[in-house]
Amino acid sequence: MPHLALESVSLRYDGGAPVLSNVSLDIASGEFVVVVGRSGCGKTSLLNLAAGFLHPTSGRVLVDDRPVAGPGAERAVVFQNDALFPWLSTAENVAFAARLAGASAAERRLQADRALEIVGLAGLGDRPVWQLSGGQRQRVGLARALAAEPDFLLMDEPLGALDAMTRETLQDLLLQTWGRNRAGTLLITHGVEEALYLATQIIVMAPGPGRIIRRLDVDFGRRRLAGESARSIKASPAFVEAREDLLDSIFEREAA
Amino acid sequence: MSLDLADTALGRPRAAEQSETEPSTTRKRPVVAITATLTIIALLLAWTVAAHFKLVSALFLPSPFEAGRAFLRVASEGFVDATLWQHLSASLGRVFAALVATTLIAVPIGFSIGASPIGRGIFDPIIEFLRPIPPLAYLPLVIIWFGIGEPSKVLIIGISMLAPIVISTASGVKGVDTDRVNAARSLGATRAQLVRHVVLPSALPSILTGIRIALGVGWSTLVAAELVAASRGLGFMIQSAAQFLVTDVVLMGILVIAAVAVALEAVLRWIERRLVPWAGKA
């Protein structure tokens, strides 16, 4: 089973203070790991290490027990500011991995249409991406990652720049796609409710230097996938309690 | 100016907040267009009046009508053995030859400056050295080295175009969005694919802007280039006319050069809209 691991990873930029200190984490297929923490706690650096955009100062990043040398197509990334290619149509954006691999136009189109259907954008393949709304662009970013059929999906605050309502719709979309393809997922967020709603495991980080201060397992996402409504989950006493508990851990340091 | 203040800052603060600059710019556009038209009409009128009442000797300032007649005369009969169209196409040919050659050289140089410190170390001093030199200053050297043939003329124009294209290409390459590069890498792009599929298209708007600026610079270098033993060209036509004090042709030539510059700018802007419609939007 595909398996992504960070083993006692530390990160420090030349001459600077340490960004991450002794971080270990483990993502297997079918897991949805969400990292929460205040800004400056190294969440994004953590994701960049997992993606292979950064290399750890010490420690190891492993995929199936092999050290990661750089980015790879088995670890697709969804970015906060979508990072789409405006010179390509929506469909060509989605099929970008296939384009790089030299797939024919017909193959690319087929793949793009399939992925666009999954993210609810069927029929928009010919649109220029710069004509899409923010929420649609994030869906395209997700479709592009899914089309590469990755073992792992790494998402850096993908819903951070969206309005509250679009965000809730896309949270459900993330849950559904994860429920279907079971790719091992790492999501960075600063939204506590988002973390609880989506995660199978939540990792709480604290700054100065960035480190993991807490891990907890949750199952609200599975309840959602089992058919319970989002409202009833988010209003349930267990959810509210977990949210307050989580907020306490995030802001613990500040109170002390 | 006072109108702008009333509109955006004081008069309708809410609307300005809601939709940023849109309403004020759409309302400004006709104002600018009307004012610009009035300015041109006023200048033409002043010129006509000055010529009509002989405020300036006709030898120095022919009337707009005489310039117009010169246009028709040179267009049909020609001046110094070539029609206006032949002069114009000679000039355009030189500028476009220079543009093509310079683009082929300048874009790769811009890439290496933007993408690698070594490339920057090699080319930056050369470009910074060439950039501020007026074409008339290197003209004699180009003649000594390359003679008075057509290549020298193209070279003079080409040198003046080099820096704008190199500098805009380099800044376009440097400005490539890191997330886009990372996105492509995580989807399996090799280094060569990154350049072709991400860096080049990202930098294209800047490259086109550089080409547009270069075309303007090259066009304004034309007269200098055609000082070199030319027998055709707008710059040559103006100089010959000046030697014989045919001031109406001089004036007409200047106006044609200005009109062509405006037309080139418009064509380049149209190309930019067609090729990079996303520029500034994403």
Side-chain angles (χ1 to χ4, degrees):
Chain A
M1 194 158 66
H3 181 250
L4 171 64
L6 274 69
E7 276 183 358
S8 339
V9 161
S10 297
L11 179 71
R12 170 201 293 271
Y13 296 113
D14 295 332
V19 179
L20 288 174
S21 164
N22 197 25
V23 170
S24 292
L25 113 98
D26 218 285
I27 305 164
S29 293
E31 285 189 326
F32 200 129
V33 176
V34 177
V35 177
V36 285
R38 289 181 289 151
S39 47
C41 68
K43 307 186 290 274
T44 295
S45 300
L46 179 74
L47 182 130
N48 285 340
L49 284 165
F53 301 148
L54 290 177
H55 297 287
T57 314
S58 67
R60 298 195 299 170
V61 180
L62 304 167
V63 171
D64 297 338
D65 301 319
R66 275 194 302 275
V68 156
E74 81 286 353
R75 284 159 287 141
V77 182
V78 179
F79 297 83
Q80 177 173 14
N81 73 350
D82 70 57
L84 298 178
F85 307 115
W87 48 89
L88 297 175
S89 70
T90 296
E92 287 294 352
N93 263 280
V94 172
F96 192 77
R99 186 188 185 83
L100 294 175
S104 73
E107 284 173 86
R108 297 203 298 267
R109 188 65 209 219
L110 199 71
Q111 194 192 67
D113 284 346
R114 220 162 32 214
L116 283 171
E117 169 115 44
I118 292 172
V119 300
L121 291 182
L124 288 187
D126 292 321
R127 281 277 188 89
V129 285
W130 47 270
Q131 286 180 0
L132 301 176
S133 70
Q136 288 173 325
R137 295 169 62 112
Q138 280 308 346
R139 286 173 192 257
V140 176
L142 178 63
R144 177 175 69 180
L146 293 174
E149 295 183 352
D151 296 329
F152 302 96
L153 202 50
L154 312 176
M155 300 191 274
D156 185 9
E157 302 197 26
L159 313 181
L162 302 176
D163 64 85
M165 279 172 237
T166 311
R167 191 179 308 144
E168 294 212 352
T169 321
L170 286 193
Q171 283 170 358
D172 275 337
L173 176 66
L174 290 183
L175 262 185
Q176 282 160 17
T177 50
W178 168 76
R180 201 168 333 173
N181 67 17
R182 314 295 291 172
T185 301
L186 175 67
L187 178 109
I188 308 295
T189 183
H190 51 249
V192 169
E193 291 208 358
E194 185 166 294
L196 286 166
Y197 188 61
L198 298 175
T200 57
Q201 188 190 160
I202 295 179
I203 288 179
V204 182
M205 291 185 69
R211 65 204 183 284
I212 294 173
I213 53 169
R214 193 176 168 198
R215 299 164 199 263
L216 68 157
D217 294 328
V218 281
D219 66 349
F220 300 105
R222 292 199 182 94
R223 276 166 62 181
R224 174 73 181 120
L225 285 177
E228 194 173 342
S229 87
R231 290 266 62 80
S232 112
I233 292 171
K234 288 183 183 175
S236 70
F239 191 90
V240 173
E241 196 184 319
R243 187 186 68 202
E244 295 309 309
D245 176 34
L246 201 52
L247 282 167
D248 278 348
S249 345
I250 293 172
F251 291 109
E252 196 172 32
R253 302 270 139 195
E254 210 160 316
Chain B
M1 221 26 220
S2 59
L3 190 75
D4 292 355
L5 278 176
D7 270 4
T8 55
L10 303 167
R12 306 163 55 237
R14 277 241 180 100
E17 243 170 54
Q18 275 168 1
S19 46
E20 313 247 319
T21 56
E22 210 179 331
S24 65
T25 48
T26 46
R27 230 176 317 104
K28 258 182 224 156
R29 210 170 293 140
V31 175
V32 172
I34 292 165
T35 320
T37 314
L38 288 178
T39 306
I40 293 168
I41 291 172
L43 285 172
L44 279 173
L45 211 65
W47 178 11
T48 314
V49 168
H52 183 77
F53 293 104
K54 304 254 184 297
L55 299 178
V56 183
S57 156
L59 187 63
F60 298 126
L61 187 69
S63 74
F65 305 105
E66 284 169 73
R69 274 196 292 277
F71 177 82
L72 295 176
R73 194 177 68 237
V74 179
S76 57
E77 295 162 29
F79 185 79
V80 282
D81 301 328
T83 62
L84 184 60
W85 172 245
Q86 287 170 324
H87 286 304
L88 176 62
S89 50
S91 293
L92 280 175
R94 283 171 195 137
V95 169
F96 280 113
L99 182 69
V100 171
T102 307
T103 304
L104 289 179
I105 297 166
V107 169
I109 293 178
F111 257 78
S112 56
I113 290 179
S116 104
I118 295 174
R120 185 168 180 182
I122 295 173
F123 293 115
D124 224 25
I126 302 175
I127 296 302
E128 288 305 314
F129 169 74
L130 280 178
R131 195 169 56 90
I133 305 177
L136 276 174
Y138 50 74
L139 177 75
L141 191 63
V142 170
I143 296 173
I144 294 172
W145 284 355
F146 301 99
I148 54 173
E150 200 61 27
S152 288
K153 302 178 188 71
V154 174
L155 187 62
I156 288 158
I157 301 172
I159 294 173
S160 73
M161 289 175 158
L162 193 65
I165 304 182
V166 168
I167 291 168
S168 346
T169 304
S171 90
V173 169
K174 256 179 264 173
V176 173
D177 185 61
T178 322
D179 280 350
R180 287 196 182 127
V181 171
N182 279 340
R185 287 171 71 204
S186 76
L187 294 169
T190 61
R191 259 190 90 82
Q193 283 178 323
L194 273 184
V195 171
R196 182 168 162 315
H197 291 285
V198 181
V199 181
L200 187 61
S202 291
L204 193 57
S206 289
I207 295 175
L208 287 175
T209 304
I211 287 177
R212 181 159 51 79
I213 294 167
L215 203 53
V217 173
W219 191 241
S220 59
T221 309
L222 192 67
V223 180
E226 291 177 353
L227 277 170
V228 189
S231 60
R232 270 194 195 163
L234 292 174
F236 162 73
M237 183 187 84
I238 291 176
Q239 286 162 43
S240 320
Q243 276 163 15
F244 301 110
L245 270 181
V246 192
T247 320
D248 53 353
V249 173
V250 175
L251 267 173
M252 181 272 285
I254 291 171
L255 292 177
V256 169
I257 287 182
V260 172
V262 170
L264 288 177
E265 171 89 9
V267 168
L268 260 290
R269 284 197 185 273
W270 178 81
I271 291 174
E272 281 178 27
R273 276 197 304 275
R274 292 300 303 271
L275 275 184
V276 293
W278 74 84
K281 286 173 188 143

